[in-house]
Amino acid sequence: AIGRQDVGEEVEIVVVDSGSQDDSVEAARALGARVHEIPASEFGHGRTRNLGAELARGETLVFTSQDAVAADETWLATLVRSLAQGVSVAGAYGRQLPHDDATPPERYFLDFLYGPDARVQRLDAGAEPDFEQTLFSNVNSAIPRAVWLEFPFADDLIMSEDQEWSRRVLRAGYELVYEPSAAVHHSHRYSIADAFRRFFDSGVSAERSYAAGRSGSGALRRAGARYARGEVEWLWRTNRRRWIPYAAAYELAKFSGMQLGRRHRLLPVGLKRHLSALSAYWE
């Protein structure tokens, strides 16, 4: 999908593979990618993306993940062009559309975070960024190399390295651009247990990313209440009412995982390994 992009610049593809057991490495090399292999135990969301940026030669860094597929042939050019809106733009990120097999709760989740409206995220002088201002995703993002060199990703977070990064650049006076027309297909079919583990890890990182600062927790609670109301209304309005009981259990698992993750310092390491989606982080 990257190779099919209609873009008037040289595109270098760097793949950091953390222990694939299928033919991903061979397929990537056959398609012309530069592949760097690491053991699965060395993977870290921030650390591995920093490694990929170090290996790349270009002045514009584009980040994506193995389960995201460009929605059309203009994705890359549109995403990179968004960086040209001003010298104060530190990064741009695009929309995430569900795969065909996505469940209704996952579809609502993606539309809640990555909807159809473009926006520019910035901070007023002296203000603290809230949950919505720090939204940024390395599933589909572009950053000038010069900005990344000044603000590399945190390499000690279990996840949410992108929102921890966005918080730092916003506080430094930069802006972030959300461009919905630069879209990828990306969604998950998490089980309820998977959702708990994913949001446990999210909660572990929350105090340094989207829930940091004096107003972080309050803004997160307000967004959570708005999300819950909106999801039930959307399921009802779109005749997906039979999904409401499942959505309630699914969202409760996410909420419980996040709250427990935010209190992870009270838990023994062995239990955290069991609750986490990235158990190697706790070694």
Side-chain angles (χ1 to χ4, degrees):
I2 296 172
R4 289 196 299 268
Q5 291 301 300
D6 181 11
V7 57
E9 299 178 77
E10 178 188 357
V11 177
E12 176 193 34
I13 304 175
V14 175
V15 173
V16 180
D17 183 273
S18 53
S20 292
Q21 298 300 307
D22 53 15
D23 63 349
S24 293
V25 168
E26 292 75 14
R29 286 188 172 129
L31 290 169
R34 177 183 178 188
V35 180
H36 182 87
E37 297 181 70
I38 62 173
S41 59
E42 292 184 8
F43 174 82
H45 283 286
R47 179 169 62 249
T48 303
R49 286 173 171 83
N50 284 336
L51 173 60
E54 290 169 1
L55 294 170
R57 295 178 291 109
E59 292 305 311
T60 300
L61 303 171
V62 176
F63 296 93
T64 189
S65 55
Q66 81 286 353
D67 54 351
V69 182
D72 56 39
E73 284 71 38
T74 66
W75 157 72
L76 184 56
T78 303
L79 181 65
V80 171
R81 190 166 56 243
S82 301
L83 294 175
Q85 293 191 22
V87 295
S88 61
V89 175
Y93 67 112
R95 193 172 189 184
Q96 297 180 37
L97 301 169
H99 292 300
D100 290 341
D101 64 349
T103 63
E106 180 72 359
R107 290 176 181 275
Y108 181 79
F109 174 77
L110 290 175
D111 200 55
F112 182 85
L113 294 181
Y114 311 107
D117 299 326
R119 60 180 175 265
V120 177
Q121 296 158 213
R122 61 174 66 89
L123 276 185
D124 295 329
E128 282 291 315
D130 61 21
F131 165 75
E132 293 176 334
Q133 287 170 314
T134 59
L135 187 59
F136 192 82
S137 177
N138 278 333
V139 167
N140 180 14
S141 70
I143 299 172
R145 175 177 290 277
V147 174
W148 172 78
L149 287 170
E150 185 179 359
F151 298 95
F153 299 116
D155 61 7
D156 60 339
L157 286 177
I158 191 169
M159 64 176 297
S160 302
E161 85 297 332
D162 36 20
Q163 290 181 276
E164 190 276 340
W165 175 87
S166 69
R167 177 179 173 80
R168 282 187 283 130
V169 298
L170 286 169
R171 294 184 72 184
Y174 286 98
E175 297 175 341
L176 301 172
V177 173
Y178 172 66
E179 178 47 71
S181 59
V184 299
H185 288 280
H186 174 257
S187 56
H188 300 283
R189 287 188 63 89
Y190 289 138
S191 67
I192 289 177
D194 291 336
F196 176 92
R197 294 187 183 96
R198 173 77 175 187
F199 278 79
F200 175 83
D201 292 346
S202 180
V204 170
S205 302
E207 67 182 26
R208 287 177 56 192
S209 54
Y210 55 85
R214 296 186 303 274
S215 61
S217 294
L220 186 60
R221 283 194 299 271
R222 291 190 294 274
R226 188 172 74 253
Y227 181 92
R229 288 194 303 270
E231 183 175 16
V232 172
E233 292 170 357
W234 178 78
L235 289 169
W236 189 273
R237 187 177 66 251
T238 58
N239 294 318
R240 295 179 170 97
R241 297 165 190 173
R242 67 183 182 86
W243 281 91
I244 291 177
Y246 176 84
Y250 189 74
E251 301 304 342
L252 179 61
K254 289 160 59 176
F255 176 80
S256 301
M258 178 177 290
Q259 295 305 313
L260 200 57
R262 295 183 69 182
R263 294 162 178 80
H264 72 94
R265 290 182 179 82
L266 303 175
L267 305 177
V269 172
L271 179 59
K272 288 190 273 196
R273 286 197 200 101
H274 180 71
L275 298 176
S276 173
L278 194 61
S279 58
Y281 174 82
W282 303 101
E283 298 297 334

